[in-house]
Amino acid sequence: MAARGGALLKYLRVNVKASPTTRNPNNNGLFGLSFNTICRRFSEEVRGTFLDKSEVSDRVVNVVKNFQKVDPSKVTPDAHFQNDLGLDSLDTVEIVMALEEEFQFEIPDNEADKISTVSLAIDFIASHPQAK
């Protein structure tokens, strides 16, 4: 459980900005912000960092269609890079690199090795808070 939490925190980034303090009568003004205010601001920041899955899907499909060795008519959200699109492992690495460039974040090698279909790429990128 702790490892999973650590992995999530590794990719979680929240912008911190100063805000006017509100008095919480329960803490005698010690911290200035109520717990609910802090939680609400934190959750709004986190929620705003994930891309819409339909946008991610469109962009991933577009990247794959623009890859020089791919027949664009064969690209679907369910397409397998090797079985359906005829790509080899080096081509798959190049596609993952193109996706990293498109979404402006680095996909760790152990995760990149698991991406073998367009849908897996979409799911990984849509669930990653650093994707832009």
Side-chain angles (χ1 to χ4, degrees):
M1 182 76 166
R4 198 174 358 167
L8 176 65
L9 291 176
K10 179 179 176 183
Y11 296 105
L12 184 65
R13 296 189 186 232
V14 178
N15 294 329
V16 178
K17 48 189 159 179
S19 65
T21 59
T22 58
R23 293 270 178 199
N24 184 348
N26 296 331
N27 67 12
N28 296 324
L30 186 61
F31 296 106
L33 291 175
S34 70
F35 178 75
N36 289 335
T37 303
I38 293 170
C39 287
R40 183 173 38 250
R41 289 176 191 221
F42 179 75
S43 64
E44 287 170 358
E45 287 290 327
V46 171
R47 201 177 14 205
T49 60
F50 293 95
L51 296 174
D52 180 53
K53 194 165 183 173
S54 64
E55 177 191 349
V56 172
S57 178
D58 293 342
R59 288 171 63 187
V60 168
V61 167
N62 192 32
V63 166
V64 176
K65 281 184 177 181
N66 289 329
F67 190 67
Q68 61 199 10
K69 297 180 182 178
V70 171
D71 178 5
S73 65
K74 293 183 179 180
V75 178
T76 65
D78 298 321
H80 190 279
F81 294 143
Q82 293 177 339
N83 299 342
D84 299 327
L85 303 177
L87 302 176
D88 61 21
S89 59
L90 183 57
D91 296 329
T92 301
V93 169
E94 290 179 19
I95 292 235
V96 170
M97 290 172 59
L99 292 171
E100 288 176 329
E101 188 174 319
E102 172 70 21
F103 291 95
Q104 300 176 11
F105 79 104
E106 185 175 338
I107 299 172
D109 291 341
N110 62 336
E111 295 295 331
D113 292 341
K114 298 174 189 174
I115 298 175
S116 59
T117 66
V118 175
S119 63
L120 287 174
I122 292 168
D123 291 341
F124 180 78
I125 293 168
S127 68
H128 202 285
Q130 290 180 335
K132 297 179 182 171

